[in-house]
Amino acid sequence: MLKPHEQRFPWNLDWNLLRTFMMVVEAGGITPAAHLLRLRQPTISAALKRLEDTMGRKLVNRSPKHFSVTPWGRVLYAEASAIFGAVSQLPDLMGGLQEEVTGQINIALASHVVAPHFDAVLERFNTLYPKVSYSISTMDSVAVVSTLQQNRASFGVALLHRPPAGLDTSVLYREFFGLFCGPSHRLYGRANIEESELRDEDVVSFWTDDPNGALSGVAHLRARLRMRSEPRGLSSNLPEVRRMIVANIGIGALPVHVARKDVQSGLLWQMPPYQGLPAVDIHLLTNPKRSLNNAEKALLAMLQAAIDAVPLAERTYSG
């Protein structure tokens, strides 16, 4: 086996080229990357060529009208992102060596995470450790998984269709999705609506709502009711799906416990069925390869303790 100093590739690699390559991929091309980095386009092109020569592989396909990342480029981007995610932790890790719990916690959340149990843990943690700072980003569940796999967040909360590679997961809570319409819909305010009346109705939904996605139960429900198969509106953000429902762009599925206040205030009206609604588990995701600072360790320990102590039945929100 080669000794570390005999493995020449890491020593010969210009690590700045990886940062440039990441910007090219994330910006979607050489020209936009040059604008972001405030460099000339030929400088970015030359850096990319040097990296491809070092790797011995073509990393991107590029022409005046086309840009795409090759399979080798996708592998390099994923690994480079993980490397930079680890490096970005170093100041926080070093600053957290003192006994006092301090540091930054970066949380990646699906947009519709509404869970009193989770909020109660966060409130209790903040009371105990007032010097911890937080950054919370909302995104779709696929992006949450990707962010955790790239080691860019302390932990994530998201819907899952299947166990993600390289991540640890546990069920944080369970929710049920119901169908809702807005005030101007023809069925609004009606009691005893028949399921057959939803046939051919326009729908709005989430990007993850398809037979092979995290919201497959909702997609199957719509299919059973023979609603329109192609949504008129899609979003990864719950408030925007809600906005489209209220605007009568289509009937949409929302977590029942989240929609309850809007139903009570008259902005939404629940459609059938009212029983046997699709159940969706919301998961806590962590990356076992991440080096945790004191704050991350403490909050994750508190969250896991709450999950272990409270039965799932009590972490199930039916509305």
Side-chain angles (χ1 to χ4, degrees):
M1 179 180 294
L2 292 175
K3 297 178 181 179
H5 68 275
E6 295 174 327
Q7 299 173 4
R8 305 311 306 170
F9 176 76
W11 296 90
N12 294 333
L13 177 65
D14 183 345
W15 292 81
N16 287 322
L17 298 180
L18 291 181
R19 184 176 73 94
T20 301
F21 173 67
M22 287 175 59
M23 292 298 298
V24 169
V25 174
E26 293 174 1
I30 292 174
T31 300
H35 288 314
L36 288 173
L37 293 172
R38 297 182 179 180
L39 296 173
R40 297 174 62 246
Q41 183 176 330
T43 302
I44 303 296
S45 297
L48 183 58
K49 179 63 167 59
R50 285 178 56 202
L51 183 59
E52 288 181 327
D53 291 343
T54 301
M55 303 302 301
R57 300 286 186 179
K58 187 176 181 63
L59 301 176
V60 299
N61 298 308
R62 56 194 188 276
S63 70
K65 295 184 178 181
H66 174 76
F67 175 86
S68 64
V69 184
T70 68
W72 301 287
R74 289 195 294 270
V75 170
L76 181 61
Y77 174 76
E79 295 302 317
S81 296
I83 291 169
F84 276 83
V87 171
S88 67
Q89 292 179 261
L90 291 177
D92 215 19
L93 290 172
M94 290 179 166
L97 291 178
Q98 63 269 30
E99 292 184 5
E100 187 177 24
V101 175
T102 61
Q104 172 90 9
I105 294 177
N106 300 296
I107 308 172
L109 294 181
S111 71
H112 66 276
V113 173
V114 178
H117 287 86
F118 176 74
D119 294 345
V121 171
L122 198 59
E123 181 181 5
R124 188 165 71 253
F125 179 84
N126 183 61
T127 301
L128 290 172
Y129 308 114
K131 293 189 177 181
V132 173
S133 57
Y134 308 85
S135 173
I136 299 179
S137 302
T138 58
M139 57 194 75
D140 63 43
S141 292
V142 173
V144 171
V145 170
S146 177
T147 298
L148 266 291
Q149 288 174 330
Q150 294 176 9
N151 197 19
R152 293 188 176 188
S154 308
F155 63 88
V157 179
L159 294 75
L160 295 178
H161 182 58
R162 60 178 63 88
L167 301 181
D168 293 336
T169 68
S170 53
V171 177
L172 183 61
Y173 68 95
R174 178 172 292 167
E175 62 187 6
F176 292 87
F177 275 72
L179 297 174
F180 298 88
C181 73
S184 58
H185 192 275
R186 64 184 181 86
L187 296 176
Y188 179 88
R190 282 260 315 272
N192 304 316
I193 300 171
E194 297 292 334
E195 290 186 4
S196 59
E197 295 183 75
L198 301 184
R199 183 170 181 173
D200 292 327
E201 281 290 327
D202 287 325
V203 299
V204 297
S205 198
F206 299 88
W207 286 105
T208 48
D209 174 6
D210 66 69
N212 297 311
L215 286 176
S216 58
V218 174
H220 292 310
L221 174 61
R222 288 207 320 268
R224 180 176 70 78
L225 296 173
R226 298 186 179 182
M227 302 174 75
R228 296 281 177 87
S229 58
E230 293 296 327
R232 285 194 66 203
L234 288 169
S235 178
S236 62
N237 188 279
L238 184 143
E240 298 311 320
V241 173
R242 171 188 173 277
R243 186 196 306 275
M244 290 188 285
I245 297 172
V246 173
N248 198 28
I249 294 173
I251 292 173
L254 296 172
V256 176
H257 73 290
V258 176
R260 181 175 59 236
K261 289 184 179 180
D262 282 334
V263 171
Q264 293 171 347
S265 67
L267 280 176
L268 296 175
W269 187 260
Q270 188 168 0
M271 304 280 97
Y274 308 107
Q275 304 295 328
L277 297 175
V280 176
D281 288 342
I282 309 300
H283 293 78
L284 174 69
L285 289 73
T286 57
N287 188 333
K289 294 183 179 180
R290 184 177 180 85
S291 299
L292 301 176
N293 62 36
N294 287 343
E296 292 171 323
K297 290 177 183 176
L299 179 53
L300 283 172
M302 191 177 289
L303 281 170
Q304 194 59 56
I307 290 172
D308 294 340
V310 180
L312 181 58
E314 296 180 27
R315 290 181 278 118
T316 298
Y317 305 120
S318 63

